[in-house]
Amino acid sequence: MQLTPEEQAMLAGKEGKAKRKAMGLLVALGTIYGADRLIPITSAHLSGVSYKTIGEGGISFLEEMAEDGRVSVPTTLNPMGMDVERWREMGVDAHFAERQLHILSLYERMGVETNCTCTPYLLGNRPNVGDHVAWAESSALAFANSVLGARTNREGGPGALAAAIVGRTPNYGLHLDSNRRATHVVEVEQGIGKEEWSLVGHAVGRRLGSCIPYFRGLDNDVNGLKALAAAMAASGSVAMFMVEGVTPEQPVTLEGLPVVRISRQDIEATVQRLRAGDRPDLIAIGCPHLSESEMKELAAYLDGKCKKGGTEVWFCTSRGVWLRCPKERAVLERFGKVLCDTCVVVAPIEGLHRVTASDSAKAYAYLPGLCSQRALYGSQRELLEMIL
Ligand code: F3S
């Protein structure tokens, strides 16, 4: 890989320990994947924030980087293990909270924006078409590649942090035109609504695995597309997809591409697979984090209704959306907790809950392994009807 004199100096440690370590990581990644050089990025989004997922090993790495490391591009953070203000109400213990706040302070010291969300593109971190970025968080990076037309690989937490510190990333994978071509055409049957796109994503990811599907039959609905991106990234490691009339890069030709159809029957079969028999003791809505319009839709539906039973309900959103929706919050708080900074997957719910229901096929994929839950899928309406 060709390095500029400035990059060579960083690699030699002339600009401090963190830059040396970050450059070492980027050069190793670039060498493995055959990058020719490093390219400048306009932003980064980091995963590896919850104490539950990174543990003490992750803290040691961050402590080392935070000694003299500072990010050189706007950098945002993924959800962490708790709401910074309401962790006690979530059942999080004091030791976890102390370690979690320590992690947050390390990122803060490095200059990272510490509003923890997996939908940074709904707030300030929204790249332009053609921008090279280094994003971790599979749902967000798929959204960035596919809906915004930015360019990022499927970064891990350390790689994204290294890129944020250096302000560059190795030029390979989805940064290159040649790797951003549709591999399949997916035709979605008419009448499958945006609230079912999470199921569409789950079905496509399972069927096709890692690929670049070109969708027909979807439109430009941000909430539907973020759910689709999240589900497909979880079930099939899909880092980029295209939607007819939506994705800035449209294929020149679809000739010769295999065609896959997603029918009403496929959706029903997927729903059957994701259901479980138990009643949930936790209902989680907001994976990916709820947008402002979703908060409004939920509040409009629940306003004037009463909650029955004691099932715990979490509505997860970003702090930015939370601040913008005081009226909606007041309605939702009568049915559950409107939590910021966290989500059901990265919070330490194991031991506190046993059966968790969600309207997200992504959450469904992670809840058994990462959270020791019996997972249950239901549409948002079905989940809310359980408590009405
Ligand atoms: Fe976001 Fe957590 Fe889902 S990070 S995409 S809410 S698993």
Side-chain angles (χ1 to χ4, degrees), residues 78-80 117-119 137-140 226 230-231 286-290 316 342-347 360 362-363 366 370:
N78 227 26
M80 61 173 164
T117 181
C118 52
T119 56
E137 171 45 42
S138 59
S139 69
K226 77 178 167 64
C287 169
H289 274 174
L290 291 168
C316 295
T342 189
C343 82
V344 69
V345 168
V346 295
S360 161
K362 174 175 176 178
Y366 285 103
L370 208 53

Side-chain angles (χ1 to χ4, degrees), residues 59-76:
I59 289 181
S60 302
F61 170 74
L62 292 176
E63 281 173 341
E64 211 181 310
M65 296 304 270
E67 270 178 37
D68 65 347
R70 300 293 173 267
V71 295
S72 55
V73 291
T75 302
T76 44

Side-chain angles (χ1 to χ4, degrees), residues 138-156:
S138 59
S139 69
L141 70 91
F143 191 96
N145 275 320
S146 315
V147 183
L148 305 180
R151 296 179 170 221
T152 178
N153 283 318
R154 198 176 156 111
E155 299 287 350

